[in-house]
Amino acid sequence: MRQTTKSRIARAAALLLAAVLLVPAPALAKTEIHFWHAMGGQLGETVGELVRQFNASQSEYEVKALNKGTYPEVLTAAIAAYRQKNPPHIVQFFDVGTQTMLMSGAIHPVFQLLKEQEVAVNWGDFIKPVVAYYSKDGNLYSMPFNSSSPILYYNKEAFKKAGLDPAKPPATWKDVGEYSKKLLAAGGVKCGFTTSWPSWTMLENTFPWHDQPFATNQNGYTGLDTKLLINGEFGLKHIGQLAAWQKDNVYSYGGRQGQPDPKFINGDCAMLIQSSAVIGGFKKSVKFDWGTGQLPHWGAPYKKQNTIVGGGTLWVMKGVKVADYKGVAQFLKFIAEPHQQMWWSVTTGYVPITQTAIKNLETGYHFKKNPEQWTALSQLSGTPTANSRGHRLGNMAQVRDAIEPELEQIFAGKKTAKEGLDAAVAKGNEILKEFAAANKP
Amino acid sequence: MKRSVFRNRALPYLLLLPQLAVTVVFFFWPAWESLRLSFFRTSAFGDRVTFVGLDNFTKLLRDPDYYQSVLNSFVFAFGVTGIGVGAGLLVAALATQKIRGLAVYRTAVLWPYGIAAPIAGIIFLFMFHPSYGVLPYWLAFVSAYEFNWLLKGWVAMALVIVATAWTHVGYNIAFFVAGLLAIPESVLEAASVDGAGSLRRFALIVFPLLAPITFYLVVVNLIFSFFGSFGMIHAVTQGGPGGATEIMVFKVYKDGFIGLNMGSSAAQSVMLMIVVIGLTALQFRFVERRITY
């Protein structure tokens, strides 16, 4: 008995040794480019594949992609690494962190990097809402990577059961209310609709969608002394309506982030407003026949503008070896190429963000076959106005964290829409003031 | 107490050194850093640092949300401690009865303590989530009550309290079992001979004899609830709904790591430290005196 154990250990040790020796030594000539991202699961694998393709396409650089958790966790890790003077070259961060990154003094602007490295990327090819969001003074500061926008998902089978046309999602909020009542009356569903990422879908996107200002200074683009404007007439109307609907189950609040998704997936709610980024996941997990429609609109007198892009962009960090920037530039150029753009979008469900990629996908009847991938894109067409370019608020993640508890108080009936939104504005403004003070030029 | 005498003067210090090093590096140094940071306003990447005196503290003390989080912390800590210690004593009393398969039970009741808080949180989510939880699903068949802690603050608080107490109850049981086994059989027998029923025996003999352990557990559970309960809140409610379960330690994380407001976050952890030190000192001052070891 003892003999076998011993020989087993010996064999294991030999195997281990062989494994160590057999791992190919990295080619010495390759420079490593570190890329920290927040893509988990299937998205993470897709990032890995993209990086593999780049590494195989040339022999000078080796991009090492590392999933560092959620967006805030990636940022925390990057800040710690930057302070220890050992930052990664590229960091993926989400839309609402844009102002924080711009003011950080820790980033090397993408437009400048590409100019220095004499790498030409045709930014004119990128769709306007994306470029506008991440540009400052007409120059792109971070590389758009994964972009999405909130859309409406609806349960076609529940629509049929309630005598509604399954080919016609509700276009206006009025429709949403009426359809929900019919759906509830027909039985089979417990709620008309629910909303994921409540602040993002119901305020941050609903305001630009109606060409309404979310905050002063053109949503923060033109100055730091910004104040929220969500407690105006439009905000009260919209949130007030949601609160009223919450009482008779037309609307059912389901929590923050993606927590409400199961209410739709298990058939409780007939409609869901959520990011277009979940299309890929829904194709696998939703058992019934479903479709998508544009984010509902209030109609006249409000103008239909555009929604804004959510998702992440790639920031290039300062504090790395200047010589490495050449490889970083090549990697960014690689991602921007039409083939990679198309592949990324088709594989993940994120919207394609270059005109060429969109045109190629159209030519291949991709959107005819996958109409749901067209929905978000259709909301992003056109030239953004001062109200719909995006949001450039300092510590926006914290602002969102100030808004969402107030929304919860409103939907729980503890506060009126006015009381809740006034409180959200007061708290949000404090945070913005703090950010302005900490980032005095 | 027995005094140890070392011949070599350096030896005791040398033996203490590893523990001292750990304490200094992982406790004193971060505490000092927090204290230092709490007087500054720092930008996210730490490139702009301004001395602001007590600004971070005065802002906190003017913020109603902060008082809410302090109140939440106390409700949470006393809730967890009450349920955790109470249930621990009850189960320990059962686990010291003479029953079949005792060893199995005794082992099994310790298991929850081996589960990491976030995992326990996920388990509770799967049981109680209004959208996909098993319990609300069953509840819908038998009653019209909507178990929606995504909107009802006190339900959310009750949920995280019970979940946290559950993860910690194994620890309490272990100590109570040891304590119960240490009570001399002869004392209890003498009491029965004098005609004391089991409740009286428990109230007059067992409970006083367990007092040192109960006291220790109350102190430890309170400190744990104030500091160590972050994982559960993070996994289950994220402080919601409407800030109803935002306890101090979660707010420290939220403002520091999501909000990137290091100054305020540091000030809050200093306040938290003061509260817990104060609470522990109070307990030793007033409660410990009544305990005989």
Side-chain angles (χ1 to χ4, degrees):
Chain A
M1 185 70 183
R2 176 171 291 175
Q3 198 57 43
T4 35
T5 323
K6 221 185 232 171
S7 72
R8 217 179 270 161
I9 290 172
R11 210 181 303 152
L15 269 175
L16 196 69
L17 191 67
V20 170
L21 291 175
L22 281 176
V23 170
L28 287 172
K30 280 198 177 180
T31 309
E32 285 186 4
I33 305 287
H34 293 274
F35 168 26
W36 289 0
H37 63 81
M39 309 264 88
Q42 189 238 333
L43 293 173
E45 285 163 28
T46 316
V47 171
E49 181 53 35
L50 196 65
V51 166
R52 258 193 300 283
Q53 287 172 16
F54 173 75
N55 289 341
S57 74
Q58 46 77 49
S59 56
E60 227 176 312
Y61 301 97
E62 169 101 16
V63 173
K64 301 237 164 179
L66 189 60
N67 177 8
K68 280 273 181 182
T70 63
Y71 288 115
E73 282 162 5
V74 172
L75 184 68
T76 309
I79 287 175
Y82 179 78
R83 286 183 165 194
Q84 286 156 17
K85 312 221 178 305
N86 189 24
H89 300 77
I90 305 169
V91 173
Q92 182 199 25
F93 200 40
F94 60 174
D95 47 341
V96 298
T98 303
Q99 179 71 308
T100 301
M101 294 303 275
L102 280 176
M103 302 297 292
S104 71
I107 55 121
H108 191 51
V110 162
F111 82 93
Q112 210 173 320
L113 170 90
L114 295 180
K115 204 157 60 179
E116 282 164 16
Q117 301 299 331
E118 296 175 344
V119 169
V121 171
N122 182 9
W123 297 120
D125 195 26
F126 281 72
I127 59 175
K128 287 202 180 90
V130 174
V131 180
Y133 198 123
Y134 303 109
S135 290
K136 193 175 156 186
D137 308 322
N139 292 313
L140 198 67
Y141 272 64
S142 65
M143 167 84 185
F145 186 55
N146 52 320
S147 304
S148 59
S149 222
I151 56 173
L152 174 101
Y153 296 81
Y154 68 103
N155 183 336
K156 286 187 175 173
E157 286 166 25
F159 267 50
K160 259 182 237 163
K161 208 176 153 200
L164 295 163
D165 183 353
K168 277 205 185 121
T172 65
W173 282 111
K174 205 171 135 249
D175 290 346
V176 170
E178 279 166 15
Y179 286 23
S180 295
K181 279 176 190 149
K182 277 187 196 157
L183 285 154
L184 286 167
V189 296
K190 290 181 196 152
C191 39
F193 72 102
T194 187
T195 52
S196 290
W197 296 91
S199 169
W200 184 62
T201 57
M202 290 297 97
L203 295 169
E204 293 163 41
N205 269 288
T206 295
F207 272 73
W209 187 224
H210 294 79
D211 201 20
Q212 297 291 311
F214 182 81
T216 59
N217 286 334
Q218 305 195 359
N219 293 345
Y221 273 75
T222 58
L224 274 183
D225 55 338
T226 304
K227 290 192 170 71
L228 296 179
L229 292 172
I230 55 175
N231 56 346
E233 193 194 336
F234 178 73
L236 292 178
K237 173 191 168 89
H238 184 61
I239 299 300
Q241 180 65 73
L242 290 181
W245 279 339
Q246 169 75 33
K247 284 190 193 122
D248 43 17
N249 290 330
V250 166
Y251 174 55
S252 173
Y253 179 78
R256 303 181 196 177
Q257 301 174 2
Q259 280 194 35
D261 294 1
K263 278 184 185 252
F264 177 71
I265 298 172
N266 67 19
D268 280 356
C269 289
M271 292 174 275
L272 166 75
I273 289 159
Q274 161 68 303
S275 164
S276 59
V278 303
I279 287 174
F282 275 14
K283 277 189 178 166
K284 279 185 198 149
S285 60
V286 177
K287 301 275 189 291
F288 51 80
D289 194 14
W290 54 277
T292 61
Q294 286 193 335
L295 183 68
H297 195 276
W298 277 106
Y302 304 102
K303 194 176 126 201
K304 197 174 195 180
Q305 193 48 47
N306 60 283
T307 56
I308 55 171
V309 282
T313 58
L314 307 184
W315 294 87
V316 179
M317 300 291 290
K318 269 187 191 160
V320 297
K321 270 193 236 138
V322 176
D324 295 354
Y325 278 148
K326 194 173 164 226
V328 175
Q330 282 185 16
F331 180 58
L332 295 186
K333 181 179 191 297
F334 177 82
I335 296 176
E337 282 166 6
H339 178 262
Q340 278 70 254
Q341 282 289 328
M342 265 166 56
W343 179 80
W344 169 255
S345 153
V346 169
T347 318
T348 58
Y350 282 112
V351 293
I353 51 174
T354 64
Q355 305 286 4
T356 315
I358 295 168
K359 216 174 288 160
N360 289 349
L361 288 171
E362 266 174 344
T363 323
Y365 300 109
H366 176 75
F367 296 123
K368 282 245 167 63
K369 282 179 240 159
N370 303 280
E372 68 286 344
Q373 292 209 346
W374 176 252
T375 310
L377 210 50
S378 72
Q379 295 173 186
L380 293 170
S381 59
T383 309
T385 66
N387 293 330
S388 72
R389 208 181 328 173
H391 302 302
R392 189 151 297 166
L393 306 184
N395 284 345
M396 175 114 186
Q398 203 185 5
V399 172
R400 193 180 268 175
D401 264 350
I403 291 174
E404 289 187 336
E406 294 300 330
L407 290 180
E408 284 166 351
Q409 304 264 25
I410 296 171
F411 299 147
K414 278 197 202 131
K415 285 187 181 175
T416 64
K418 176 142 182 52
E419 287 164 353
L421 289 177
D422 282 352
V425 166
K427 281 180 202 168
N429 288 348
E430 268 309 305
I431 296 164
L432 293 170
K433 217 164 88 187
E434 183 70 30
F435 181 83
N439 288 281
K440 245 181 268 159
Chain B
M1 208 186 264
K2 200 176 135 199
R3 267 182 99 96
S4 306
V5 180
F6 289 94
R7 295 249 170 74
N8 187 331
R9 283 182 155 249
L11 184 64
Y13 297 102
L14 201 66
L15 292 175
L16 278 175
L17 192 65
Q19 181 57 44
L20 283 177
V22 166
T23 312
V24 168
V25 172
F26 291 103
F27 294 94
F28 289 137
W29 185 45
W32 164 251
E33 274 293 304
S34 294
L35 190 63
R36 200 178 58 79
L37 263 177
S38 67
F39 295 106
F40 291 89
R41 178 188 283 135
T42 317
S43 67
F45 279 78
D47 55 333
R48 268 157 296 185
V49 181
T50 344
F51 181 79
V52 292
L54 290 170
D55 248 28
N56 288 324
F57 291 96
T58 48
K59 271 205 186 110
L60 274 185
L61 295 178
R62 270 187 282 131
D63 181 3
D65 280 3
Y66 186 66
Y67 291 103
Q68 181 65 45
S69 83
V70 174
L71 179 69
N72 288 343
S73 293
F74 276 88
V75 171
F76 179 80
F78 283 96
V80 168
T81 305
I83 294 178
V85 173
L89 182 55
L90 188 74
V91 177
L94 296 174
T96 44
Q97 307 294 314
K98 294 183 180 65
I99 41 173
R100 257 165 177 273
L102 188 61
V104 177
Y105 292 125
R106 271 192 201 160
T107 313
V109 294
L110 299 182
W111 280 341
Y113 189 58
I115 299 173
I119 310 277
I122 303 291
I123 295 174
F124 269 76
L125 272 187
F126 276 118
M127 288 196 289
F128 295 103
H129 197 280
S131 303
Y132 53 83
V134 177
L135 185 108
Y137 179 74
W138 285 339
L139 200 65
F141 289 112
V142 293
S143 106
Y145 180 75
E146 207 189 338
F147 186 79
N148 191 356
W149 48 268
L150 291 175
L151 282 177
K152 289 181 196 146
W154 72 269
V155 183
M157 182 56 110
L159 182 73
V160 286
I161 286 177
V162 170
T164 311
W166 177 71
T167 59
H168 215 58
V169 77
Y171 180 86
N172 300 338
I173 293 170
F175 277 84
F176 277 131
V177 166
L180 287 169
L181 293 178
I183 293 172
E185 199 75 22
S186 53
V187 183
L188 292 172
E189 270 170 28
S192 331
V193 170
D194 287 345
S198 60
L199 272 182
R200 257 176 96 81
R201 268 180 313 199
F202 184 83
L204 294 178
I205 298 173
V206 177
F207 194 69
L209 283 174
L210 278 178
I213 287 174
T214 313
F215 175 64
Y216 165 79
L217 286 177
V218 167
V219 173
V220 168
N221 275 264
L222 279 179
I223 294 177
F224 163 81
S225 312
F226 271 100
F227 283 125
S229 44
F230 167 78
M232 180 64 71
I233 303 283
H234 186 58
V236 181
T237 61
Q238 309 242 327
T245 57
E246 189 165 282
I247 59 173
M248 289 164 86
V249 68
F250 189 76
K251 196 166 157 59
V252 168
Y253 158 80
K254 203 185 85 174
D255 290 347
F257 290 98
I258 305 213
L260 300 174
N261 187 345
M262 287 299 162
S264 174
S265 178
Q268 289 176 41
S269 50
V270 170
M271 300 286 282
L272 179 58
M273 204 151 54
I274 293 170
V275 166
V276 173
I277 290 174
L279 204 64
T280 312
L282 268 180
Q283 292 177 69
F284 272 93
R285 177 108 177 63
F286 293 107
V287 186
E288 202 205 11
R289 275 206 260 156
R290 302 164 175 226
I291 291 171
T292 35
Y293 287 95

